[in-house]
Amino acid sequence: MQALSHPSSGTGSLNYLVRTRPSSNRIVPNRIIIKCGYGFESPAFPLGVGSNRADWQSSCAILASKVSQEQSSTQKNGGNADHVAAVNGHKAAVTDLNLVPIGNLGSSDNNKPIPPKPLTISDLSPAPMHGSQLRVAYQGVPGAYSEAAAGKAYPNCEAIPCDQFEVAFQAVELWIADRAVLPVENSLGGSIHRNYDLLLRHRLHIVGEVQLPVHHCLLALPGVRKEFLTRVISHPQALAQCEHTLTKLGLNVAREAVDDTAGAAEFVAANNLRDTAAIASARAAELYGLQVLADGIQDDPSNVTRFVMLAREPIIPRTDRPFKTSIVFAHDKGTSVLFKVLSAFAFRNISLTKIESRPHRNRPIRLVDDANVGTAKHFEYMFYVDFEASMAEVRAQNALAEVQEFTSFLRVLGSYPMDMTPWSPSSCPRED
């Protein structure tokens, strides 16, 4: 274990990097189908999985013992286990997942591969670490913006679609995927609160970020004209980001929200809906055989989504390039302490790029007994902060050592390189 601490902080050491090296003799159970991938609670980590390899193996052993009973009962009843999705141990099950690199999707019109099926919780079984191609989990179906972000973060990776954000977290924890790329905020829609909550629940580390310009298109079946449309479906944020443009196009249609943009395009194509259009990327149109009725329909061209890259192990922070550090903390003395916490960064000239508050789920309300006004109730919050500094810098270490004095809980989510890739709204890629 390597700990970064302030020399004069005494007992206030700041543990940041916990590097656990998995054993080279890792035993992978054969044909384990995990029905639920939620982490087991422990006093040290009440909301996530264990922090070391031994905890992970124990979790898998417990799950395997439960699943073996289900498998034996299935065989007695004449069930067919081949229909249960698994990652290793059965060739047919792997074929059902049909995991292919994103670079091979849509290579030709006459020989298009079947889009891979999104992972579900029942697919989460441990997989061996083999091969050199990086496996990256993302939420959505092929053609989603998250898939494009995964390709930008890790070119030539093997993109693994997942049907939920939490399944993407668990895919990395259970060694099905090596990384996960998930959105945390959009320049127009704001924060994706679900993923902030999951960052605290799980023990993955942020190892990088990528910013992706969003380029929306209005998609419909071939031959469909805009004036015959009666509804438009897409992700709620995509609908909100294109609201004014849809009005300018003269579309007096119902607008319905679905889980994701590419999923909306897939739904229109699969059900042959000639009165329905979808808002999605141009890549989704190519994958699902739709035509682009209108291109670039987002209201604001400065529409960018920020994604974080997650891994089981943190990276070593450096000082030879710009770094960003993400932390989460809570305190017992109300919001008045927040000023002191933020002053620790201002005093050292450390710029904050984001601050986000989320309800403290374990203790949402704090009672304060005041003799003058009686018992008062205050909402308790967790605060997520991003700041521009590397944990390898002394000023960042000293700032967090001071923050630790005012907080009841402090965790470093990751210290990682900033995405410095320049982008221009006028040159946003169409297949993003």
Side-chain angles (χ1 to χ4, degrees):
M1 177 180 294
Q2 180 180 359
L4 300 179
S5 61
H6 187 262
S8 62
S9 60
T11 60
S13 62
L14 179 64
N15 294 328
Y16 165 58
L17 295 178
V18 179
R19 304 193 57 81
T20 304
R21 298 183 179 273
S23 172
S24 59
N25 298 324
R26 179 165 60 88
I27 299 176
V28 180
N30 190 29
R31 288 189 60 76
I32 297 179
I33 297 93
I34 297 179
K35 298 299 182 182
C36 180
Y38 289 96
F40 292 91
E41 296 185 358
S42 64
F45 309 112
L47 294 177
V49 298
S51 63
N52 53 43
R53 183 67 175 164
D55 292 342
W56 178 83
Q57 289 177 329
S58 300
S59 301
C60 288
I62 295 173
L63 291 173
S65 64
K66 295 180 179 179
V67 172
S68 61
Q69 298 176 1
E70 298 179 4
Q71 289 179 332
S72 60
S73 62
T74 301
Q75 294 174 356
K76 292 180 180 179
N77 296 330
N80 187 359
D82 292 342
H83 293 289
V84 181
V87 173
N88 50 308
H90 200 281
K91 184 180 298 183
V94 177
T95 305
D96 291 338
L97 289 178
N98 194 22
L99 306 180
V100 296
I102 61 175
N104 295 337
L105 293 176
S107 57
S108 65
D109 293 336
N110 297 327
N111 189 21
K112 291 185 178 179
I114 301 175
K117 183 184 70 175
L119 283 177
T120 62
I121 290 181
S122 62
D123 296 323
L124 297 181
S125 59
M129 294 290 292
H130 58 80
S132 59
Q133 191 174 31
L134 203 65
R135 300 166 299 180
V136 181
Y138 69 93
Q139 188 275 330
V141 298
Y145 294 106
S146 292
E147 183 197 41
K152 181 179 179 181
Y154 300 103
N156 301 318
C157 68
E158 180 182 354
I160 303 178
C162 303
D163 66 344
Q164 302 174 36
F165 288 127
E166 184 150 16
V167 174
F169 275 86
Q170 294 175 12
V172 179
E173 291 173 335
L174 296 175
W175 297 73
I176 292 176
D178 306 302
R179 300 286 189 273
V181 175
L182 299 172
V184 290
E185 61 179 325
N186 177 266
S187 58
L188 300 181
S191 299
I192 291 88
H193 295 137
R194 175 62 175 164
N195 283 336
Y196 275 99
D197 294 338
L198 291 174
L199 283 172
L200 183 61
R201 177 179 299 177
H202 296 268
R203 301 298 299 183
L204 298 183
H205 303 268
I206 302 177
V207 296
E209 67 172 1
V210 59
Q211 298 184 13
L212 185 77
V214 176
H215 190 93
H216 290 310
C217 300
L218 186 66
L219 311 179
L221 290 172
V224 172
R225 299 169 58 180
K226 289 185 292 184
E227 52 266 29
F228 296 125
L229 295 175
T230 60
R231 66 171 177 167
V232 173
I233 61 174
S234 190
H235 188 274
Q237 285 201 7
L239 291 172
Q241 293 165 9
C242 303
E243 180 178 4
H244 298 300
T245 303
L246 291 177
T247 303
K248 292 179 181 178
L249 291 174
L251 297 178
N252 186 18
V253 295
R255 302 168 189 182
E256 299 181 10
V258 295
D259 289 339
D260 58 84
T261 55
E266 182 185 37
F267 182 78
V268 171
N271 294 277
N272 196 31
L273 302 177
R274 305 195 64 82
D275 63 340
T276 304
I279 297 177
S281 65
R283 174 174 172 77
E286 177 186 351
L287 286 176
Y288 303 111
L290 301 179
Q291 67 170 337
V292 178
L293 295 179
D295 191 11
I297 63 173
Q298 61 273 6
D299 297 334
D300 193 329
S302 302
N303 187 359
V304 180
T305 299
R306 175 175 170 251
F307 296 78
V308 292
M309 299 130 71
L310 304 175
R312 289 178 292 273
E313 297 289 339
I315 62 174
I316 303 298
R318 298 158 52 181
T319 58
D320 58 345
R321 59 173 298 180
F323 259 63
K324 181 183 292 185
T325 300
S326 299
I327 65 173
V328 56
F329 64 87
H331 47 76
D332 294 327
K333 299 180 181 180
T335 55
S336 60
V337 178
L338 184 59
F339 172 77
K340 298 179 181 178
V341 171
L342 299 182
S343 298
F345 298 101
F347 177 75
R348 294 170 177 84
N349 197 28
I350 298 178
S351 299
L352 302 184
T353 59
K354 182 177 180 61
I355 180 169
E356 179 82 19
S357 63
R358 295 293 297 151
H360 197 314
R361 292 183 177 273
N362 290 341
R363 192 178 58 185
I365 297 179
R366 177 172 55 93
L367 300 179
V368 179
D369 191 5
D370 193 319
N372 295 325
V373 298
T375 301
K377 295 181 179 180
H378 298 273
F379 293 115
E380 287 289 344
Y381 292 95
M382 307 289 291
F383 292 92
Y384 294 81
V385 172
D386 295 342
F387 60 88
E388 293 181 350
S390 169
M391 282 305 300
E393 300 180 53
V394 176
R395 60 172 185 159
Q397 299 173 25
N398 292 341
L400 292 195
E402 182 177 341
V403 168
Q404 195 174 30
E405 298 177 3
F406 303 109
T407 58
S408 59
F409 168 80
L410 174 63
R411 175 179 159 193
V412 178
L413 299 173
S415 189
Y416 48 92
M418 296 176 58
D419 182 9
M420 306 298 293
T421 305
W423 62 273
S424 172
S426 60
S427 60
C428 291
R430 290 191 56 180
E431 295 186 9
D432 54 358

